[in-house]
Amino acid sequence: GNSVTQMEGPVTLSEEAFLTINCTYTATGYPSLFWYVQYPGEGLQLLLKATKADDKGSNKGFEATYRKETTSFHLEKGSVQVSDSAVYFCALSVYNFNKFYFGSGTKLNVKP
Amino acid sequence: DAGVTQSPTHLIKTRGQQVTLRCSPKSGHDTVSWYQQALGQGPQFIFQYYEEEERQRGNFPDRFSGHQFPNYSSELNVNALLLGDSALYLCASRFPESGEDTQYFGPGTRLTVL
């Protein structure tokens, strides 16, 4: 079947620290992979995506590389800011992107 | 360009009641999906509507039903509410024919069942 597993949070970092949030997946077929971010009281916003193996998605200093050999799509940022505090969701979609499977989310707290 | 909008923002119901949630997709989008996000969890796919028909469905009981209108807006109906139906309900839209693979989410409706 299709599923996404994320590292459990919360993750607490100081400003300017390096961030890694792990995400692994199982999928039937060839999935596209996504990271979404959810700020308090809001819906989900697309952060970045990758549609095939070895693709790197990037946005706002965040990066993630689609690793087919390890079925992973880890999210990284070199220097986090307080404004990055949010919940991050890894997701996959197969077969024409009609259905998305989400991980359980990882809450990030960045302290000044 | 208006994004995905949902109404109402919050809703409180009691067990056994019925509820209707509404979604207007992003301009130009014709496909609407609904998700349930329980507290502390990731969104779970309920179903998707395209051309006014349910195209795909997740593992939700028949108490959950929907509708899509000719203007592509959509409703989610939940009958015989249970306490466990308390969640954030998210609507997402996309335009498959554009080739774009991204879903755009609305802010959600927070449903509380007492």
Side-chain angles (χ1 to χ4, degrees), chain A residues 6 32 34 36 38 41-46 49-51 87 89 92-105, chain B residues 31 33 35 37 40-45 48 55-59 88 90 94 96 99-108:
Chain A
Q6 289 182 237
S32 291
F34 303 79
Y36 280 84
Q38 187 174 37
E42 299 184 12
L44 276 69
Q45 300 176 24
L46 178 67
K49 64 182 181 183
T51 58
V87 181
F89 293 93
L92 69 83
S93 182
V94 293
Y95 305 132
N96 299 320
F97 317 107
N98 289 328
K99 184 175 179 179
F100 281 60
Y101 297 84
F102 286 86
S104 57
Chain B
T31 300
S33 298
Y35 291 81
Q37 186 181 11
Q41 299 297 315
Q44 298 292 315
F45 177 78
Q48 182 184 81
R55 182 157 66 171
Q56 282 202 57
R57 189 177 183 93
N59 295 325
L88 180 68
L90 296 166
R94 58 184 291 260
E100 189 180 12
D101 53 18
T102 301
Q103 286 192 121
Y104 293 84
F105 282 83

XYZ file of all heavy atoms in Angstrom, chain A residues 6 32 34 36 38 41-46 49-51 87 89 92-105, chain B residues 31 33 35 37 40-45 48 55-59 88 90 94 96 99-108:
484
model
N 6.901 9.863 9.228
C 7.740 11.010 9.585
C 8.284 10.846 10.987
O 7.675 10.171 11.824
C 6.904 12.295 9.610
C 6.464 12.806 8.317
C 5.684 14.091 8.449
O 4.545 14.160 8.000
N 6.272 15.133 9.049
N 4.931 10.862 -6.570
C 5.478 12.198 -6.422
C 5.480 12.503 -4.930
O 4.620 12.033 -4.188
C 4.615 13.223 -7.161
O 4.719 13.041 -8.551
N 5.956 15.351 -1.628
C 5.667 16.740 -1.283
C 5.987 16.993 0.184
O 5.906 16.098 1.022
C 4.175 17.042 -1.491
C 3.667 16.773 -2.879
C 3.363 15.485 -3.286
C 3.487 17.810 -3.773
C 2.887 15.228 -4.572
C 3.006 17.576 -5.057
C 2.713 16.276 -5.447
N 4.408 19.790 2.887
C 3.460 20.864 3.158
C 3.766 21.430 4.544
O 4.251 20.721 5.431
C 2.021 20.356 3.134
C 1.428 20.202 1.751
C 1.651 19.049 1.009
C 0.646 21.206 1.193
C 1.102 18.908 -0.264
C 0.087 21.072 -0.070
C 0.319 19.925 -0.787
O -0.230 19.784 -2.047
N 2.026 23.773 7.801
C 0.773 24.272 8.382
C 1.104 25.183 9.548
O 1.629 24.735 10.567
C -0.107 23.110 8.837
C -1.496 23.524 9.289
C -2.378 22.322 9.601
O -1.914 21.317 10.129
N -3.657 22.415 9.268
N -3.603 27.584 13.086
C -4.902 28.106 12.682
C -5.109 28.215 11.189
O -6.111 28.792 10.749
N -4.194 27.657 10.414
C -4.306 27.773 8.968
C -4.364 26.410 8.296
O -4.125 25.380 8.919
C -3.123 28.577 8.414
C -3.051 30.003 8.946
C -1.928 30.789 8.292
O -1.354 30.329 7.293
O -1.634 31.890 8.799
N -4.675 26.423 7.001
C -4.638 25.206 6.211
C -3.219 24.878 5.793
O -2.264 25.484 6.257
N -3.094 23.902 4.904
C -1.782 23.459 4.454
C -1.300 24.275 3.258
O -2.078 24.563 2.343
C -1.824 21.988 4.057
C -1.678 20.971 5.175
C -2.902 20.974 6.071
C -1.451 19.586 4.598
N -0.011 24.590 3.268
C 0.600 25.285 2.135
C 1.697 24.401 1.564
O 2.485 23.829 2.313
C 1.221 26.605 2.593
C 0.259 27.595 3.207
C 0.983 28.829 3.717
O 2.071 29.174 3.256
N 0.379 29.507 4.682
N 1.747 24.303 0.255
C 2.812 23.542 -0.381
C 4.142 24.236 -0.146
O 4.296 25.429 -0.421
C 2.557 23.415 -1.880
C 3.636 22.684 -2.660
C 3.685 21.216 -2.249
C 3.398 22.807 -4.155
N 8.249 20.212 -3.720
C 7.845 18.922 -4.271
C 8.942 18.362 -5.168
O 9.830 19.091 -5.616
C 6.551 19.062 -5.071
C 6.700 19.950 -6.304
C 5.391 20.113 -7.047
C 5.570 20.985 -8.289
N 4.293 21.218 -9.002
N 8.849 17.061 -5.427
C 9.742 16.392 -6.370
C 8.955 15.272 -7.024
O 8.241 14.529 -6.337
C 10.976 15.839 -5.667
N 9.043 15.155 -8.312
C 8.179 14.226 -9.029
C 8.886 12.980 -9.539
O 8.219 12.044 -9.999
C 7.486 14.923 -10.202
O 8.489 15.459 -11.070
C 6.583 16.044 -9.714
N 3.961 23.196 11.720
C 3.909 21.738 11.577
C 4.184 21.393 10.123
O 3.588 21.983 9.212
C 2.549 21.165 12.005
C 2.547 19.642 11.860
C 2.232 21.555 13.447
N 4.375 18.523 7.079
C 3.806 17.249 6.648
C 4.484 16.780 5.378
O 4.562 17.513 4.388
C 2.309 17.380 6.372
C 1.468 17.643 7.582
C 1.158 18.937 7.953
C 0.998 16.595 8.351
C 0.384 19.191 9.072
C 0.216 16.831 9.476
C -0.086 18.130 9.834
N 2.738 11.916 -0.195
C 2.996 11.341 -1.511
C 1.690 11.233 -2.291
O 0.607 11.196 -1.729
C 3.674 9.974 -1.405
C 2.899 8.773 -0.863
C 2.049 8.111 -1.946
C 3.871 7.733 -0.310
N 1.850 11.177 -3.599
C 0.704 10.997 -4.469
C 1.098 10.067 -5.604
O 2.205 10.180 -6.140
C 0.237 12.342 -5.025
O -0.899 12.164 -5.836
N 0.188 9.170 -5.951
C 0.423 8.257 -7.068
C -0.755 8.363 -8.029
O -1.823 8.823 -7.672
C 0.585 6.802 -6.597
C 1.860 6.653 -5.776
C -0.613 6.359 -5.771
N -0.525 7.952 -9.240
C -1.606 7.845 -10.228
C -2.349 9.152 -10.436
O -3.482 9.323 -10.004
C -2.590 6.752 -9.852
C -1.940 5.409 -9.644
C -2.224 4.648 -8.534
C -1.030 4.912 -10.560
C -1.629 3.412 -8.334
C -0.421 3.698 -10.369
C -0.733 2.943 -9.255
O -0.141 1.742 -9.063
N -1.724 10.059 -11.075
C -2.370 11.296 -11.497
C -2.717 12.243 -10.358
O -3.568 13.110 -10.525
C -3.639 10.991 -12.298
C -3.335 10.201 -13.551
O -2.334 10.472 -14.209
N -4.165 9.241 -13.867
N -2.096 12.054 -9.204
C -2.204 13.038 -8.134
C -3.630 13.237 -7.651
O -3.989 14.314 -7.184
C -1.634 14.385 -8.610
C -0.369 14.238 -9.365
C -0.327 14.421 -10.736
C 0.803 13.885 -8.727
C 0.844 14.258 -11.449
C 1.982 13.728 -9.428
C 2.004 13.912 -10.799
N -4.453 12.225 -7.797
C -5.833 12.362 -7.358
C -6.002 12.119 -5.868
O -7.011 12.501 -5.294
C -6.735 11.407 -8.128
C -6.909 11.846 -9.561
O -6.901 13.036 -9.848
N -7.046 10.901 -10.462
N -5.061 11.472 -5.257
C -5.184 11.119 -3.850
C -3.823 11.281 -3.211
O -2.834 10.767 -3.714
C -5.659 9.681 -3.718
C -5.910 9.224 -2.301
C -6.500 7.822 -2.325
C -6.746 7.302 -0.929
N -7.334 5.940 -0.952
N -3.805 12.014 -2.104
C -2.568 12.266 -1.393
C -2.568 11.502 -0.076
O -3.587 11.433 0.615
C -2.408 13.770 -1.115
C -1.919 14.561 -2.291
C -2.631 14.603 -3.473
C -0.733 15.275 -2.219
C -2.186 15.337 -4.563
C -0.271 16.018 -3.299
C -0.997 16.045 -4.466
N -1.405 10.969 0.284
C -1.231 10.293 1.559
C -0.261 11.143 2.384
O 0.832 11.461 1.912
C -0.640 8.900 1.354
C -1.521 7.977 0.552
C -1.494 8.012 -0.844
C -2.372 7.079 1.173
C -2.307 7.180 -1.591
C -3.178 6.232 0.433
C -3.140 6.291 -0.948
O -3.944 5.455 -1.683
N -0.673 11.470 3.595
C 0.121 12.348 4.446
C 0.715 11.597 5.622
O 0.116 10.651 6.153
C -0.755 13.481 5.002
C -1.101 14.541 4.000
C -2.199 14.384 3.163
C -0.334 15.690 3.889
C -2.529 15.361 2.234
C -0.663 16.672 2.963
C -1.747 16.504 2.135
N 1.898 12.038 6.046
C 2.436 11.597 7.301
C 1.706 12.283 8.448
O 0.820 13.128 8.228
N 2.074 11.954 9.660
C 1.366 12.468 10.834
C 1.821 13.866 11.234
O 1.254 14.459 12.147
C 1.534 11.513 12.014
O 2.899 11.324 12.284
N 2.845 14.388 10.578
C 3.280 15.739 10.851
C 4.378 15.810 11.904
O 4.441 14.986 12.820
N -11.450 20.206 -9.817
C -11.405 18.972 -9.021
C -11.259 19.339 -7.549
O -10.368 20.114 -7.196
C -10.222 18.100 -9.464
O -10.383 17.767 -10.852
C -10.152 16.825 -8.650
N -11.110 17.856 -3.532
C -10.931 16.736 -2.606
C -11.203 17.211 -1.189
O -10.954 18.371 -0.859
C -9.501 16.193 -2.691
O -9.214 15.702 -3.973
N -10.534 16.272 2.992
C -9.681 15.564 3.928
C -10.171 15.825 5.343
O -10.646 16.916 5.656
C -8.231 16.036 3.824
C -7.532 15.643 2.547
C -7.716 16.366 1.371
C -6.667 14.552 2.511
C -7.076 16.007 0.201
C -6.015 14.185 1.344
C -6.229 14.923 0.194
O -5.581 14.561 -0.965
N -8.683 15.996 9.187
C -7.454 16.073 9.969
C -7.800 16.080 11.447
O -8.214 17.106 12.002
C -6.633 17.318 9.601
C -5.286 17.361 10.293
C -4.470 18.588 9.961
O -4.951 19.547 9.353
N -3.200 18.574 10.325
N -3.542 16.576 15.938
C -2.234 15.956 16.044
C -1.928 14.919 14.974
O -0.909 14.224 15.051
N -2.782 14.831 13.972
C -2.599 13.848 12.907
C -2.483 14.536 11.545
O -2.776 15.718 11.400
C -3.778 12.874 12.875
C -3.959 12.090 14.149
C -2.777 11.196 14.436
O -2.261 10.511 13.544
N -2.306 11.202 15.671
N -2.068 13.740 10.554
C -2.050 14.252 9.195
C -3.422 14.105 8.558
O -4.263 13.332 9.029
N -3.668 14.854 7.501
C -4.955 14.755 6.813
C -5.183 13.362 6.231
O -4.258 12.740 5.717
C -4.832 15.798 5.697
C -3.767 16.737 6.159
C -2.804 15.901 6.931
N -6.430 12.906 6.327
C -6.840 11.627 5.748
C -7.832 11.902 4.622
O -8.808 12.639 4.814
C -7.500 10.754 6.813
C -6.585 10.402 7.977
C -5.466 9.487 7.581
O -5.674 8.503 6.867
N -4.257 9.797 8.023
N -7.606 11.276 3.479
C -8.430 11.493 2.291
C -9.826 10.924 2.490
O -9.981 9.749 2.850
C -7.738 10.815 1.106
C -8.489 10.884 -0.192
C -8.487 12.042 -0.949
C -9.175 9.777 -0.666
C -9.152 12.088 -2.165
C -9.844 9.814 -1.878
C -9.832 10.973 -2.623
N -12.983 12.530 -3.524
C -12.686 13.551 -4.519
C -13.843 13.658 -5.509
O -14.426 12.634 -5.897
C -11.413 13.207 -5.274
C -10.999 14.255 -6.300
C -9.782 13.814 -7.090
O -9.873 13.055 -8.036
N -8.623 14.311 -6.680
N -15.135 10.615 -7.646
C -14.199 9.859 -8.477
C -13.394 8.857 -7.668
O -13.054 7.785 -8.143
C -13.275 10.813 -9.221
C -12.295 10.105 -10.145
C -11.808 11.005 -11.234
N -10.997 12.111 -10.737
C -10.314 12.936 -11.532
N -10.340 12.791 -12.823
N -9.634 13.934 -11.016
N -13.043 9.253 -6.451
C -12.294 8.346 -5.583
C -12.796 8.531 -4.160
O -13.282 9.606 -3.799
C -10.796 8.656 -5.612
C -10.075 8.139 -6.824
C -8.597 7.982 -6.566
O -8.201 7.273 -5.643
N -7.779 8.647 -7.344
N -12.627 7.490 -3.351
C -13.082 7.543 -1.981
C -12.068 6.860 -1.070
O -11.495 5.834 -1.439
C -14.436 6.855 -1.835
C -15.094 7.058 -0.482
C -16.464 6.412 -0.424
N -17.094 6.703 0.866
C -17.902 7.727 1.090
N -18.206 8.563 0.116
N -18.416 7.937 2.286
N -11.858 7.433 0.077
C -10.999 6.829 1.085
C -11.807 5.921 2.002
O -12.961 5.597 1.733
N -11.205 5.531 3.111
C -11.844 4.585 4.032
C -12.739 5.295 5.037
O -12.462 5.323 6.242
C -10.778 3.769 4.753
C -10.001 2.885 3.797
O -10.570 2.372 2.827
N -8.712 2.738 4.044
N -10.531 18.904 11.967
C -10.445 19.974 10.974
C -10.708 19.347 9.610
O -10.048 18.375 9.237
C -9.055 20.616 11.010
C -8.794 21.757 10.028
C -9.621 22.984 10.400
C -7.303 22.105 10.002
N -10.567 19.734 5.684
C -9.859 20.514 4.678
C -10.370 20.188 3.283
O -10.617 19.031 2.952
C -8.364 20.213 4.743
C -7.648 20.611 6.031
C -6.281 19.963 6.100
C -7.512 22.123 6.119
N -7.598 21.290 -7.484
C -6.548 21.282 -8.500
C -7.203 21.275 -9.870
O -8.419 21.123 -10.003
C -5.617 20.088 -8.353
C -6.245 18.735 -8.420
C -5.195 17.652 -8.154
N -4.240 17.563 -9.246
C -4.305 16.637 -10.212
N -5.259 15.740 -10.222
N -3.397 16.611 -11.161
N -6.445 19.233 -13.106
C -5.614 18.180 -13.704
C -5.197 18.454 -15.138
O -4.079 18.144 -15.545
C -6.512 16.945 -13.620
C -7.475 17.237 -12.547
C -7.697 18.711 -12.572
N -1.901 19.866 -16.137
C -0.683 19.095 -15.931
C -0.028 19.379 -14.599
O 0.957 18.749 -14.226
N -0.575 20.341 -13.865
C 0.009 20.679 -12.572
C -0.387 19.621 -11.553
O -1.533 19.213 -11.477
C -0.482 22.057 -12.126
C 0.226 22.590 -10.896
C -0.278 23.948 -10.480
O -1.330 24.372 -11.003
O 0.365 24.591 -9.643
N 0.577 19.216 -10.756
C 0.313 18.133 -9.824
C 0.061 18.602 -8.411
O 0.001 17.814 -7.492
C 1.491 17.157 -9.818
C 2.816 17.870 -9.572
O 2.806 19.014 -9.088
O 3.861 17.273 -9.896
N -0.113 19.881 -8.237
C -0.212 20.439 -6.887
C -1.645 20.619 -6.476
O -2.475 21.079 -7.265
C 0.505 21.792 -6.833
O 1.871 21.594 -7.202
C 0.436 22.383 -5.445
N -1.951 20.266 -5.252
C -3.226 20.574 -4.635
C -3.082 21.865 -3.827
O -2.062 22.076 -3.173
C -3.662 19.476 -3.672
C -4.151 18.213 -4.312
C -4.818 17.321 -3.295
O -5.983 16.961 -3.414
N -4.052 16.939 -2.284
N -4.114 22.671 -3.847
C -4.160 23.887 -3.056
C -5.227 23.712 -1.979
O -6.369 23.383 -2.284
C -4.473 25.096 -3.932
C -3.377 25.408 -4.906
C -3.294 24.743 -6.124
C -2.399 26.356 -4.605
C -2.269 25.008 -7.017
C -1.376 26.642 -5.501
C -1.315 25.955 -6.697
O -0.292 26.224 -7.580
N -4.840 23.957 -0.733
C -5.736 23.715 0.384
C -6.394 24.998 0.875
O -5.782 26.072 0.875
C -4.967 23.092 1.547
C -4.686 21.634 1.365
C -3.605 21.215 0.619
C -5.514 20.680 1.939
C -3.346 19.867 0.441
C -5.264 19.331 1.770
C -4.175 18.926 1.024
N -7.619 24.840 1.344
C -8.297 25.917 2.031
C -7.907 25.938 3.501
O -7.175 25.067 3.971
N -8.412 26.928 4.246
C -8.042 27.064 5.663
C -8.728 26.049 6.572
O -8.317 25.887 7.721
C -8.480 28.483 6.004
C -9.601 28.744 5.056
C -9.252 28.026 3.788
N -9.757 25.383 6.064
C -10.405 24.347 6.847
C -11.609 24.818 7.633
O -11.805 26.021 7.873
